[in-house]
Amino acid sequence: EVQLVESGGGLIQPGGSLRLSCAASGFTVSSSYMSWVRQAPGKGLEWVSVIYSGNSTYYADSVKGRFTISRDSSKNTLFLQMNSLRAEDTAVYYCARARGSYGPSYYYYYYLDVWGRGTTVTVSS
Amino acid sequence: EIVLTQSPGTLSLSPGNRATLSCRASQSVGRYFAWYQQKPGQAPRLLIYGASSRATGIPDRFSGSGSGTDFTLTISRLEPEDFAVYYCQQYGSAATTFGPGTKVDIK
């Protein structure tokens, strides 16, 4: 069964750091395109980051320079390192597998076919 | 950034009714378009991709249509488990974006 399980969320003070993990089963993270999406309390979905199978990474402007997406093939796990956290980063963070194809430009055009249950990050003093 | 506008914000219907949800993109995204269902406390679930292809395991009462800037999700006959929030997503640009959601609730 294809499954994603996130962990690592919690309560953190503004300016702090947190690393989220997303353990995959049923498929190989290292050869997949993977993404993080977040959802602030009572709000909609916001794309955060994506990592291509070739290790190219992309970020939303709101997190660029503060968040880093990566993966460990030996653990079949995706990560999101979050630094300089702000109150507005408070959200449920979902990891998801990205499926799609390359578009007219270099970018991979993808939808999200498998989602984890999410892990909650609360940034507050 | 491509902005998605969903309408209506809330749709109040009864089981057995037909539901029609709309999503409009601020610029053309071809058919790089998806729909998701989210129930309270759960992760989103992919329903439709490529504007009209149903994801694995999705009942055929769900259908998607459209291209360019205007897209529609239709639920032909609402089942009790279909009352949820529905999000659209465009992935026809470097930065994917989601719509604000349409809540389908029980009338």
Side-chain angles (χ1 to χ4, degrees):
Chain A
E1 180 190 7
V2 174
Q3 192 174 11
L4 294 167
V5 178
E6 301 95 335
S7 61
L11 174 63
I12 188 77
Q13 291 189 340
S17 297
L18 213 54
R19 188 174 84 152
L20 306 183
S21 300
C22 171
S25 56
F27 72 100
T28 303
V29 164
S30 61
S31 59
S32 300
Y33 296 73
M34 300 293 297
S35 185
W36 288 95
V37 174
R38 68 185 180 183
Q39 187 170 34
K43 302 296 184 182
L45 302 170
E46 179 188 16
W47 172 74
V48 172
S49 181
V50 66
I51 184 166
Y52 289 4
S53 61
N55 282 335
S56 296
T57 58
Y58 299 91
Y59 301 91
D61 288 344
S62 57
V63 307
K64 198 173 296 182
R66 300 187 298 123
F67 289 13
T68 303
I69 190 172
S70 64
R71 56 191 164 199
D72 184 332
S73 57
S74 67
K75 297 179 180 178
N76 207 29
T77 298
L78 179 73
F79 300 101
L80 186 68
Q81 177 67 42
M82 304 186 297
N83 300 330
S84 303
L85 283 162
R86 307 166 180 168
E88 54 265 36
D89 295 319
T90 294
V92 175
Y93 284 74
Y94 298 101
C95 67
R97 186 174 69 178
R99 303 295 291 271
S101 59
Y102 279 93
S105 64
Y106 170 76
Y107 297 103
Y108 189 68
Y109 292 176
Y110 59 90
Y111 53 92
L112 301 166
D113 72 331
V114 179
W115 295 64
R117 299 185 69 172
T119 187
T120 300
V121 173
T122 303
V123 185
S124 174
S125 55
Chain B
E1 174 180 296
I2 297 176
V3 177
L4 299 179
T5 303
Q6 290 189 243
S7 61
T10 301
L11 196 52
S12 296
L13 294 168
S14 301
N17 285 168
R18 180 185 186 90
T20 302
L21 288 67
S22 297
C23 187
R24 174 166 289 179
S26 59
Q27 61 191 78
S28 178
V29 297
R31 293 182 62 83
Y32 294 108
F33 204 83
W35 290 93
Y36 300 84
Q37 176 194 67
Q38 187 178 36
K39 298 178 182 179
Q42 296 185 18
R45 177 175 72 144
L46 176 69
L47 299 174
I48 301 288
Y49 64 95
S52 61
S53 297
R54 269 188 302 277
T56 302
I58 302 303
D60 60 7
R61 64 179 182 274
F62 291 92
S63 63
S65 63
S67 66
T69 60
D70 291 296
F71 299 87
T72 301
L73 174 69
T74 302
I75 310 171
S76 59
R77 283 176 50 87
L78 281 165
E79 297 289 341
E81 62 268 27
D82 299 336
F83 292 93
V85 179
Y86 292 83
Y87 293 98
C88 57
Q89 177 211 5
Q90 69 77 21
Y91 54 98
S93 66
T96 185
T97 52
F98 294 90
T102 290
K103 183 178 182 180
V104 179
D105 64 15
I106 300 177
K107 187 174 183 179

